[in-house]
C-alpha cells in the first residue's frame, strides 16, 4: 500500500506539471526541469519504500536484480559515449 501511495503522488505531480506546461508556453522549460526533478525524487522515494517495506524474498531479489541490470546497462551506455 505504501508504494502505491508514493506512485500516486508522483503521477499526480507529473499530471499537474503537464497541465501547467500546456497552459503557458513560456513555462515549458521550467515545467520540464521540475518534472525531471519530481520524477527523480519520486522514484527515489519509491525505491526506498520498496526496500523498507517489501519482504526480502524471491520477488525482492528479482526487483534488485532488475535494478542492478538496468544500472549496468546505463553504465555501459555512458562508457560507450565517453570512449
Amino acid at each position: 500500500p505504501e508504494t502505491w501511495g508514493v506512485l500516486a503522488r508522483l503521477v499526480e505531480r507529473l499530471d499537474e506539471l503537464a497541465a501547467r506546461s500546456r497552459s503557458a508556453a513560456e513555462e515549458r522549460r521550467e515545467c520540464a526541469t521540475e518534472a525531471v526533478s519530481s520524477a527523480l525524487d519520486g522514484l527515489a522515494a519509491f525505491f526506498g519504500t520498496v526496500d523498507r517495506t517489501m519482504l526480502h524474498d524471491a520477488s525482492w531479489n528479482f526487483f534488485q536484480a532488475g535494478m542492478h541490470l538496468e544500472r549496468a546497462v546505463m553504465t555501459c551506455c555512458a562508457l560507450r559515449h565517453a570512449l
Side-chain angles (χ1 to χ4, degrees):
E2 294 90 356
T3 55
W4 289 114
V6 170
L7 289 178
R9 285 190 299 276
L10 176 60
V11 168
E12 183 179 308
R13 177 68 179 141
L14 293 176
D15 285 343
E16 289 172 9
L17 289 169
R20 196 173 90 195
S21 71
R22 283 190 295 267
S23 65
E26 65 275 357
E27 290 188 15
R28 283 197 179 129
R29 182 177 299 257
E30 182 180 326
C31 287
T33 303
E34 285 184 48
V36 169
S37 178
S38 294
L40 290 175
D41 291 343
L43 290 173
F46 172 75
F47 286 117
T49 303
V50 164
D51 192 49
R52 191 180 70 236
T53 61
M54 191 173 183
L55 289 176
H56 289 203
D57 58 1
S59 60
W60 182 81
N61 286 323
F62 183 77
F63 182 79
Q64 290 292 334
M67 188 173 62
H68 291 300
L69 180 62
E70 181 183 17
R71 195 173 289 165
V73 168
M74 292 298 125
T75 301
C76 289
C77 288
L79 286 173
R80 184 181 337 147
H81 289 291
L83 301 176

